[in-house]
Amino acid sequence: QVQLVESGGGSVQAGGSLRLSCAASGYTYSIHCMGWFRQAPGKEREGVATIWIGYGSTYYADSVKGRFTISQDNAKNTLYLQMNSLKPEDTAMYYCAAREGGCIGLVSTDAFAYWGQGTQVTVSS
């Protein structure tokens, strides 16, 4: 089993920045792909960014390219999402996810077995 705990959400004005963190524990050696997803009220959960652990390959949704950066700190078993130039449409609950397989591109939510509880990001105009 793998446990994921997100932190770093909050409220910011448009144009601001936030950094989300996701601390992983448990059988982390089995994890080869991690990602960030978000879900706004009334909308489906969507992929934001994924990273293939070990290779460092990263993938982003078109809506966040150039503004968000996904990264990992293997020593700390922590995943990050640096979010810059935030827009009101980025407002959502953000979730960290992990899977044992690798990832090429934005892997669908169905492929991820482990999920955190989410952290809220609110961007005001």
Side-chain angles (χ1 to χ4, degrees):
Q1 284 286 355
V2 174
Q3 295 77 43
L4 304 172
V5 179
E6 303 98 333
S7 61
S11 297
V12 296
Q13 290 191 329
S17 298
L18 283 173
R19 188 177 80 156
L20 305 184
S21 299
C22 173
S25 60
Y27 295 111
T28 57
Y29 62 85
S30 66
I31 298 303
H32 296 288
C33 176
M34 296 189 73
W36 288 98
F37 293 78
R38 66 186 181 186
Q39 187 167 18
K43 294 188 177 181
E44 292 187 354
R45 191 170 297 189
E46 63 176 358
V48 175
T50 55
I51 183 167
W52 194 333
I53 306 296
Y55 289 94
S57 302
T58 58
Y59 309 93
Y60 297 92
D62 288 342
S63 58
V64 306
K65 281 181 182 177
R67 301 188 298 121
F68 290 11
T69 303
I70 188 172
S71 62
Q72 61 186 85
D73 185 331
N74 290 333
K76 296 182 179 180
N77 285 332
T78 301
L79 181 74
Y80 301 100
L81 184 68
Q82 178 66 43
M83 305 185 295
N84 298 327
S85 301
L86 282 161
K87 303 176 181 180
E89 50 264 43
D90 294 319
T91 295
M93 184 71 79
Y94 282 72
Y95 298 90
C96 170
R99 66 188 299 263
E100 296 178 359
C103 47
I104 297 177
L106 282 179
V107 182
S108 68
T109 56
D110 293 345
F112 285 84
Y114 306 105
W115 291 85
Q117 82 289 350
T119 186
Q120 178 68 37
V121 172
T122 303
V123 185
S124 59
S125 57

